[in-house]
Amino acid sequence: MSAVISGREQVFAGILLTSVGYFLFSLQDAAIKLMVVGFSVWQILLFRSATVVAIAMAIGGRKAVADAANSPVLVAMLLRSFVILAAWLCFYTAARDLQLAELTTIYFAAPIIVTILSVWLLKEVVPPVRWVAVVTGFVGVFIACNPLAIGLSLPVLMVLAAAALWGFSIVLIRKIALGERTLVQLLLNNGFFLVIAGVPTLFVWQTPSLPELALLVGTGICGGLAQFCLFEGMRKAEASVVAPFEYTSLVWSFVLGFLIWGDVPRPGVVIGAVLIFSAGLMIILSERRRG
């Protein structure tokens, strides 16, 4: 009985951590939106990665660096970093031709892709209630964004590719999290992006003021904490369990949009938010019953 309770608490801890992680990612995105007016995305990525690497090295010291260099998941981590970079490039290339609502709706096909891949690659058994939760969350996103009929164009295909790549990266996170500690994952993941972002930043460098530097470093801290929560959450709960909770980041984006830029949510956003939270509640209640 205690083992069952312990397992259930593990799952709830995974749900809580991933939910906090997606909130922090939304906070990070809001900060990036504030900064992209004066800085390139490459420079922001460089500062974020450098901040996370510095904190991870300060905590783990030389041992963490040695463990990262000799990690058994080094190749898998590099693969995941390339996948995330490809998703990022597809998403922001398509962003020039699509509205934000259209981008968001298509991109949030990712949790469905995660659930499908978790069955295929991780051999997870996905109960019907999880499928219902994923679809319910996507319907909530669709209503909240109120997308136009946009057809099947190259930008749409690029966003779908970004969603598929991100979904694949989430499955890789779950697979890697079971074989490597989170601190090493943070070092490898952000070390890769530090190198990749370094070259283009040389050509687009803008010297930040002291407040801008504080915001850049703060974004890095926020992004690092978000990654930590996501990696730890994936270690504790199955990918198909936490996948629908990615939808909560849409709700946070609307909340932050109102608080920072004064964007007033439409009635459809409220309805969509209710459906999104209902999807998460389905997962929590189903896990309690399984326990």
Side-chain angles (χ1 to χ4, degrees):
M1 182 65 179
S2 60
V4 173
I5 294 174
S6 177
R8 189 172 65 185
E9 288 176 350
Q10 280 272 99
V11 172
F12 289 156
I15 289 172
L16 178 61
L17 283 166
T18 51
S19 298
V20 171
Y22 286 125
F23 165 70
L24 291 171
F25 276 128
S26 299
L27 206 59
Q28 169 199 264
D29 291 343
I32 291 175
K33 182 176 173 62
L34 287 170
M35 290 186 293
V36 288
V37 177
F39 300 97
S40 74
V41 177
W42 289 112
Q43 186 170 346
I44 295 170
L45 180 60
L46 177 75
F47 269 92
R48 191 197 74 166
S49 302
T51 302
V52 178
V53 168
I55 293 173
M57 289 181 66
I59 295 172
R62 293 181 180 179
K63 186 179 185 306
V65 176
D67 289 346
N70 300 300
S71 174
V73 299
L74 179 60
V75 175
M77 281 294 300
L78 290 177
L79 171 62
R80 191 180 70 93
S81 297
F82 274 114
V83 169
I84 291 176
L85 181 62
W88 180 73
L89 291 174
C90 286
F91 184 84
Y92 283 104
T93 301
R96 292 179 296 190
D97 299 303
L98 296 175
Q99 295 180 359
L100 180 61
E102 298 165 348
L103 275 169
T104 305
T105 301
I106 300 168
Y107 189 71
F108 272 101
I112 297 177
I113 295 169
V114 170
T115 305
I116 294 170
L117 290 177
S118 70
V119 176
W120 179 37
L121 296 178
L122 300 178
K123 309 303 180 186
E124 293 182 5
V125 179
V126 182
V129 68
R130 290 188 202 166
W131 291 108
V132 173
V134 169
V135 175
T136 300
F138 183 72
V139 170
V141 171
F142 191 90
I143 293 173
C145 292
N146 189 26
L148 303 174
I150 52 181
L152 199 62
S153 61
L154 180 59
V156 171
L157 291 174
M158 293 189 75
V159 181
L160 284 172
L165 289 165
W166 175 249
F168 182 45
S169 76
I170 290 294
V171 173
L172 285 175
I173 288 175
R174 168 67 175 172
K175 204 172 185 67
I176 292 168
L178 297 174
E180 186 56 272
R181 58 196 180 106
T182 299
L183 190 65
V184 172
Q185 292 183 65
L186 288 171
L187 266 177
L188 288 172
N189 189 58
N190 291 279
F192 170 82
F193 284 119
L194 185 61
V195 174
I196 291 296
V199 176
T201 300
L202 293 174
F203 300 96
V204 293
W205 174 265
Q206 296 289 329
T207 303
S209 64
L210 196 59
E212 289 170 338
L213 180 61
L215 187 57
L216 283 165
V217 173
T219 301
I221 294 172
C222 187
L225 287 172
Q227 291 176 52
F228 176 84
C229 289
L230 187 60
F231 295 164
E232 280 293 306
M234 285 291 178
R235 185 194 300 276
K236 297 178 183 299
E238 294 180 338
S240 58
V241 172
V242 299
F245 290 88
E246 185 174 353
Y247 291 131
T248 59
S249 60
L250 177 69
V251 179
W252 291 122
S253 69
F254 281 115
V255 171
L256 292 169
F258 174 74
L259 294 176
I260 299 173
W261 293 281
D263 299 335
V264 179
R266 295 173 289 100
V269 174
V270 178
I271 297 171
V274 170
L275 287 173
I276 291 167
F277 280 113
S278 297
L281 192 60
M282 285 182 200
I283 295 292
I284 294 172
L285 292 176
S286 70
E287 290 305 313
R288 283 181 63 89
R289 287 187 176 182
R290 290 180 72 197

